[in-house]
Amino acid sequence: MRPRLRNALSALLIALACLLVPFGVLAAWATYGRNVRLPRLRHQLTDPYVPFEVAGFWLPVTALALAAAGIAVAVCRRRAVTATSLGTALGGAFLGLAVALGRHLTLADLHARHRPAAGAIYDTLTATLRTVSWLLVALGLTAAAATWLTARYARRRQASAAPVADPAPRSTRVRA
């Protein structure tokens, strides 16, 4: 496969993986605490939470598979890992922003007297989501920093291991 095509395919797979991470976390959160076993198939088909249950499992798995495939196809794997980790951190930041924006929009329509109680309930329900968003940001930035540091170390090591040219040989003739 040509390097340009491999780079383009790698970038596409990594971008898809980074986009799916926050959606998978949101879908998993939407079904948090629900009983997975539903008594009847008809109820499964009409239950609005079933797609979230399915997406809550398969979106993160798909994101992980796409990220691994993108890194495996990449010409420069270190850059691919860096891009994946930065994308994961960005996805986690967007997830945290979405939770904060959702809190603001939810509490904006309530009467001032009910806002503290509703805010406490909202914070309780979204505590796991906020924790996961911070975890995604922290892990993504840590992985990006680690790949950056290993790249610097590898460059330094390559430069010091480069062969040194021998000095010009001395002439053995005697000049008169």
Side-chain angles (χ1 to χ4, degrees):
M1 193 179 287
R2 292 183 177 165
R4 278 189 168 178
L5 180 62
R6 283 182 71 175
N7 279 342
L9 183 60
S10 172
L12 176 69
L13 291 172
I14 289 169
L16 280 173
C18 293
L19 284 174
L20 288 179
V21 167
F23 289 122
V25 173
L26 277 171
W29 175 78
T31 61
Y32 182 72
R34 288 190 38 90
N35 188 4
V36 177
R37 296 181 188 258
L38 297 175
R40 291 176 289 160
L41 180 62
R42 182 169 184 218
H43 185 58
Q44 281 185 340
L45 294 175
T46 59
D47 187 12
Y49 289 103
V50 170
F52 289 116
E53 288 176 1
V54 172
F57 175 75
W58 284 109
L59 279 177
V61 169
T62 306
L64 190 63
L66 286 172
I71 292 169
V73 170
V75 174
C76 182
R77 287 194 175 90
R78 191 171 285 136
R79 282 186 185 172
V81 170
T82 304
T84 303
S85 56
L86 287 175
T88 302
L90 188 64
F94 282 143
L95 181 62
L97 185 67
V99 170
L101 184 65
R103 184 182 197 284
H104 173 73
L105 293 175
T106 301
L107 299 180
D109 293 338
L110 295 176
H111 191 270
R113 187 174 54 179
H114 301 296
R115 281 190 191 143
I121 292 170
Y122 188 89
D123 290 341
T124 302
L125 290 174
T126 58
T128 306
L129 207 53
R130 279 184 281 123
T131 303
V132 168
S133 69
W134 280 111
L135 186 67
L136 286 172
V137 170
L139 288 176
L141 291 178
T142 302
T147 55
W148 180 73
L149 287 173
T150 57
R152 267 188 90 176
Y153 178 72
R155 270 188 251 124
R156 243 190 216 168
R157 191 169 173 189
Q158 236 175 12
S160 67
V164 178
D166 289 335
R170 288 185 161 174
S171 174
T172 56
R173 292 186 175 177
V174 179
R175 294 173 104 187

